[in-house]
Amino acid sequence: MMNKKGLINIALIFFLVGFFAETVWGLRLNDDQVYGYNCVRLLSSNYRIGKKVALTFDDVPNIYTQKILKILRNYRVKATFFMVGYQVKNNPDLAREIVSHGHEIGNHSYSHRWDGGKTIDVLLQDIEKAESCIMETTGQMPLYLRPPGGLIDENIKKACGMSGYGIVLWTVDSRDWFHTDNRQAILDNVLNNVKSGSIILLHSLSQTVDVLPEIIETLQKRGYQIGPVSSIMSQ
């Protein structure tokens, strides 16, 4: 019998299949059919979405996460947080706080040490280890998978499909990890490139904490609704 995780993720994948009319491939595991895309899924540039954008944060939780949560709470904004398993293990209270505030969570691997050429078995072990850690700590199943660094190869796509996850990358890269002392560059990267349906990539960093209020205020003044990834999937 299909478990809850399988039902949620297959429902998500079938929605996206219809939405973007992509081709899917299937793998048979223990008599269950598990589907995954044969290409990277990007949710962007859909005029039917209207003025909605998704805010995402990678590499959580860490020492800056609580400040990000406070800012989001002050602006009444929900987001999607992509959790790294070993950081969840080291910061369990923060991981639970993310969930308790009503934010979505995604799987960002356990080790955050992926490179090209890893076997499917190695990738699956890392994905499943992260999932177990996140579930045991927060009580919530990650909804999506974002590979570390956005790395995609054939084995990663297959491991994703076999584990029941949909891959979510981004369409607007703040490059906040690079611009450690240039807040204007981060703001320009986001605000000059955002459009309806954008998925905005940010990280849990001190410079991100600094610019986040201005990003949110500017987007709201422009008439954008800001939410988690799921908010840009509905019309």
Side-chain angles (χ1 to χ4, degrees), residues 58-63 65 82-95 98 106-114 125-138 142 148-149 203-205:
D58 281 10
D59 304 348
V60 299
N62 63 16
I63 59 174
T65 303
F82 286 91
M83 295 186 170
V84 177
Y86 82 85
Q87 292 181 204
V88 171
K89 183 177 180 179
N90 292 335
N91 303 279
D93 290 341
L94 275 174
I98 291 170
N107 187 328
H108 198 39
S109 82
Y110 186 88
S111 65
H112 204 269
R113 293 180 180 177
W114 290 12
Q125 288 173 11
D126 201 58
I127 291 169
E128 291 169 0
K129 187 176 181 180
E131 179 184 290
S132 295
C133 183
I134 294 168
M135 275 286 295
E136 290 170 5
T137 302
T138 69
H203 295 79
S204 191
L205 299 167

Side-chain angles (χ1 to χ4, degrees), residues 172-189:
V172 175
D173 187 353
S174 68
R175 291 182 61 81
D176 51 357
W177 58 271
F178 180 78
H179 296 293
T180 56
D181 298 311
N182 189 344
R183 71 185 311 274
Q184 190 59 49
I186 300 172
L187 290 169
D188 289 345
N189 286 338

Side-chain angles (χ1 to χ4, degrees), residues 17-29:
V17 169
F19 199 75
F20 292 99
E22 297 283 359
T23 302
V24 298
W25 51 270
L27 296 171
R28 186 166 292 283
L29 300 173

Side-chain angles (χ1 to χ4, degrees), residues 38 77 89 153 172 185 197:
N38 61 1
V77 167
K89 183 177 180 179
D153 61 22
V172 175

